[in-house]
Amino acid sequence: MNIKITFLGAAQNVTGSRYLVETNNVKFLVDCGFYQEHALLGRNWETLPIPPRTLDAVLLTHAHVDHCGLLPKLVKDGFCGPVYCTAATADIAEIMLLDTAHLLKEDVEFKKKRHEREGRRGLYPEIPLYEVKDVEATMPLFSPIKYEQAVEIGDGVEAIFYDAGHVLGAATIVIKVQQGGEVRTIIFSGDVGRQGKPILRDPTLLHEADYVLVESTYGDRLHESQGDMVAKLAEVINKTATAGGNIVIPVFALERTQEILYYLNKLLLANLIPHLMVFVDSPMAVRVTEVFERYPELFDEDMIELLRKRESPFDFSGLNLVRTVEQSKAINHIKGTVIIMAGSGMCTGGRVKHHLVDNISRRQSTILFVGYQANGTLGRQIVDGAKKVRIFGQKHNVRARVAQLSGFSAHADRDELLEWLGGIKRPPRRLFVVHGEQDTAKQFADLVKSKIGWEAMAPAYKDTVILD
């Protein structure tokens, strides 16, 4: 057997998921993600170690930008093969990629003006990494497949997608390679979801593999229980309402927005929080929420029951889905407390930055983080206790209350990852720990070695392994 894997992203870091697989004269990528850590942004400009036109396919685990966000650049650079993923992932990826193209353009225009004003040049070319036309050229390449449906990638190579329980349409991908009468099975976990989370079904447990690539975003910690998390959410809202400030929640358009709406709806139905106006100020999140409503077959039983009772978390009294810039600006003129959910989830762009400018220096307001904040992002600076932060080139004092609820994460924590791996009955030949910060990935690899006795390692960027 001869299977070569090169780790081109999410290797001792969290974002930029991208793995090049070469075997049986077949070359394909699993994921093609955008780097979001500030110190690693330059990697988005790097070229593949092989010409993109020689790739036979791309397989996407899901539609988060750190897993699909470099696809238009890949197409711009010459890739023209199929992109395999679930139908929900294809629908959401289009929304995410178009939004990213617009943000890239806006970011370049803003930085050009700032650099001219300051008499300097930026670290990267002052052109967008890709444009809307590149996204439009990418979408016809998408080839949606169903869960548990095998797709042939090339001679002796097939892929099967299983429900990862992470976000709508997310998949764990199993690759089977046949060579000389032998078969090797490789699991690419993608982002592993959590048991018992609302809206979506639980992640599928897989039972055999020769090699596994497993994410480790929260491989060094445990999440709060669901009950504690919802109680703390209610506490944050009630305290901020009493103080007369706003609750600003930086959210990811995919999954986190919909999950927070689910819990807000529950709290409102139970009268555990005041009936405040709730704004989803993210056109992308609004469009993603509409995609959710098109795929009820992917929901769990509790969500289906809410729909039967006409208590949808996507349509409750006081909910405002904000689409236009004018509607967004009008929120700041409302007197009294409101809940503002806006992208992006790590505060790296989008409308949340405008709401931070209006609220981060107000002691009455709360900035509530409900998702992972990567190193180097504005969100991470705020969570880590920065007294001042730079937003739109201006320094702002951080006087608002800063709160973080880790239990909302769509990623499995340390014990949940071990439980998911426990579904594999025979020890794999090797486990590769990916999609985690350097210390976290190494800690989780050591934990797997000591706790269940598997051979495990945390590969670094551009490491290459040969699987026999």
Side-chain angles (χ1 to χ4, degrees), residues 140-181:
L141 302 179
F142 276 73
S143 183
I145 62 171
K146 295 179 180 178
Y147 286 130
E148 303 187 28
Q149 171 191 339
V151 57
E152 186 176 348
I153 308 302
D155 185 31
V157 183
E158 73 171 21
I160 306 172
F161 288 56
Y162 294 90
D163 195 338
H166 171 61
V167 297
L168 190 76
T172 292
I173 302 175
V174 176
I175 305 294
K176 293 190 176 182
V177 179
Q178 293 186 349
Q179 281 181 17

Side-chain angles (χ1 to χ4, degrees), residues 114-148:
R114 193 173 86 198
H115 293 161
E116 286 172 8
R117 189 169 63 247
E118 297 173 353
R120 64 184 180 92
R121 294 185 62 81
L123 295 174
Y124 316 112
E126 291 187 330
I127 59 171
L129 194 64
Y130 56 81
E131 301 176 70
V132 168
K133 66 180 181 181
D134 301 308
V135 178
E136 292 171 344
T138 300
M139 295 317 301
L141 302 179
F142 276 73
S143 183
I145 62 171
K146 295 179 180 178
Y147 286 130
E148 303 187 28

